[in-house]
Amino acid sequence: MGNTTYITAIEISSSKISGTVGIETYNGIKILAAASTPVKNFISRGVVRNVDEASNAINYIINTLESSLDRVNIKRAYISLAGLSVKSIKSTVTRNFETFTKITPEIIAEMALDNDKTFQTPDGYTRVQVVNQEYKLDGKIDNNPVGAPTMQIEANYLNIVIKEQFLNQLNESFAQAEVEIADSFSAARMDADILLSKDARRNGCALVNIGAETTTIAIYKNDILRKLTVLPLGSRNITNDLCNEQISFDEAEEIKITRGYKSPNNEKEPIDADTVNNIINARMCEILQNIKYQVEESGELVNHLIFTGGGSKLKNLEMLFEEYLPNFQNEIIPEPRFNLDSGNGVNINGIFSTALYGLLKQGKENCCEEIKPAVYTPPVEQNIFTYEQLDEEETQREETEKTIPEISEEEKREQERERIRKEKEERKEKKRLEKERKKKEKGPGLFDFDNWFGKLKQGTKNLVGEITSDDGEESDDDDN
């Protein structure tokens, strides 16, 4: 693995979860692995609804990527932030001076800190990014205020916020999958960095990403992001309306993709052309009218709309532009060609996106760890005791012997006699216990020969003693 930096990128959208691992080379980014899995009901409008199922899908992506890598474990990943809960809010910080004061980098930094402290984040939201807008010196726009003297400076910021609950659910999904989030970036900004030219961003344009369940609008002017909003509308609304004509979801999706708006064919099954056209017209009218409103409401002089995303591939979409966006210059960006190379056997078709590419470009921290192969180390033969240990034990033994007092020969003989006496007593006690054991084994119903013989022997001895005593007395009488 060496010093190579492996970047892991994961994109969560309303239709699928995609992941890739790449490295930066002299020829651009090289893709080492790519994987994708469809999203069902556990993610809706770009928001995680079921943490367990989202975690399982992330695990599947990670395991699939690792299977394509050689002895590498994925520990962290860069992710994109998108979905319905993302939006932008403007804020302003003003400084007034008593005399003309030259603006310094320290003043600019202090104003940014003031914005962090004073910005009122809406309840239930958390701020994830701040985009500097322009500065005004005494009411005049100046994008390079450092070094200019002024009595008043006004700094404008665009704060990107996301619903805290949804962000927590996203973080929990990755934590449960044991994948650390290295960093997160706005998917809309990465799309703009890749798809929009500098001239388009400077002159003013809106990048419109029509996804499956949401439509994201990023408005640029003077090469600065001015507004970011997400509509709860997408191309899947067309599919759902077609399903109301008593056909399956898969059939409705195929009709939307293959036939599109005002298709030249006159197919009637399973739905006639007029019905399909009416449904597409109604839904796209809703989406395009909302896009127009958001652009006009931003207050920016923008007349160039650039469309991307899966919904922009709808056949004959330009005809709907003419009908609902006649005063705008409308453009559809085809699939971009990325400056990347893929390894042998790596399929990126239908997986790779501008968001994944942007994440790979933004990533700086190594996301993978090398699995080092086990190395067999033969055991080293060695003595159980070292010479130093033997010398120490010998010294301890000698010291112990020195502490034992010497005894006389007589004391030694007395100790030996005492030992012999104790051994005899132990043998005698052992015999006695053995007799008692045998006696118990015989039981009360058996004839105890040893006991009878002992009693007989004792009775004979007593009788002999009595006779001897009587004879003695008689002898005394005869003498008298």
Side-chain angles (χ1 to χ4, degrees), residues 258-271:
T258 59
R259 293 166 62 174
Y261 181 63
K262 290 192 176 181
S263 175
N265 61 59
N266 296 317
E267 293 185 24
K268 295 183 179 180
E269 297 296 336
I271 306 177

